Amino acid sequence: AGVPFGTGQPNLMTCPQEAAQFWNEHARKSAFSSGYKDPNVECLEWTAIEKVVNQILGGLSKSPQQLSCFENGCHLGYTTRRLFQLIQPKNYLAIDVSEPAIQGANRFRQEFGFEPVRLVLASTSAVPVASESFDLSFSIRCIQNVVVPEDQVKALREAHRILRPGGHLVLLENWQESL
């Protein structure tokens, strides 16, 4: 496995098996948090997300309670909870490729009361729903962790496929390689 200079961390972009093992282990050990080490970065990110979501909601003919939302890569459910509380949609489906992450998100969902959210074990490159199923789709720091560049493209195509005409994709990623 490659190691980026100065980090001591494996380069997950070249090691799909190590990436899966990393995310499964991270899910088993993590507390219910965003994973940020810097609260200032987290605050800036959520300020931007809330601004974008509120702009989208303000321009829709439907009320938020009529919307169907999708989230790619929910991990332990921290982002899921915040997005669900912000929008309060009719339907909310969140997926993750890690079974321990889905298990942790289910515990977090029960503890913090966002039970209407459905959590499903699935890949971002093969979302198990019909085309044009959602009004809003979110990918918050998810696709950047898909280790095969071709699968990143598939994930973006899937995000487009599942959106209804006039739907919105909110994509917040940080690529240093690939795409």
Side-chain angles (χ1 to χ4, degrees):
V3 176
F5 178 75
T7 66
Q9 298 295 317
N11 181 351
L12 301 180
M13 294 303 294
T14 61
C15 312
Q17 294 79 13
E18 286 182 30
Q21 182 179 358
F22 171 85
W23 288 113
N24 286 338
E25 195 58 35
H26 186 266
R28 286 185 190 100
K29 293 190 296 189
S30 287
F32 298 127
S33 75
S34 65
Y36 276 111
K37 305 251 188 291
D38 184 345
N40 295 318
V41 172
E42 181 176 10
C43 180
L44 288 171
E45 180 178 285
W46 275 102
T47 299
I49 291 169
E50 289 173 358
K51 181 177 180 178
V52 167
V53 169
N54 286 325
Q55 286 176 342
I56 290 169
L57 295 177
L60 295 177
S61 59
K62 293 180 177 181
S63 73
Q65 293 76 26
Q66 296 173 304
L67 298 176
S68 291
C69 296
F70 172 78
E71 181 188 351
N72 248 340
C74 65
H75 197 52
L76 295 173
Y78 177 84
T79 301
T80 308
R81 176 183 178 214
R82 289 194 68 172
L83 288 170
F84 181 77
Q85 289 175 335
L86 177 64
I87 302 165
Q88 295 292 308
K90 176 176 76 171
N91 297 312
Y92 194 112
L93 172 66
I95 67 166
D96 201 282
V97 71
S98 167
E99 188 170 356
I102 291 291
Q103 291 167 351
N106 271 310
R107 288 190 304 275
F108 188 56
R109 179 182 64 171
Q110 292 166 357
E111 183 175 342
F112 289 97
F114 54 105
E115 278 83 11
V117 171
R118 288 183 310 145
L119 299 163
V120 175
L121 181 66
S123 169
T124 61
S125 59
V127 180
V129 299
S131 297
E132 301 181 2
S133 294
F134 297 97
D135 301 293
L136 294 171
S137 179
F138 296 93
S139 181
I140 311 296
R141 295 178 325 277
C142 171
I143 296 174
Q144 69 191 31
N145 295 306
V146 175
V147 296
V148 178
E150 293 80 14
D151 288 343
Q152 291 175 340
V153 173
K154 287 179 188 175
L156 290 170
R157 287 190 177 129
E158 280 292 277
H160 181 263
R161 178 188 70 80
I162 65 173
L163 279 176
R164 292 184 177 128
H168 296 270
L169 170 63
V170 177
L171 181 68
L172 179 69
E173 304 289 344
N174 179 21
W175 276 289
Q176 294 177 3
E177 301 177 31
S178 204
L179 282 187

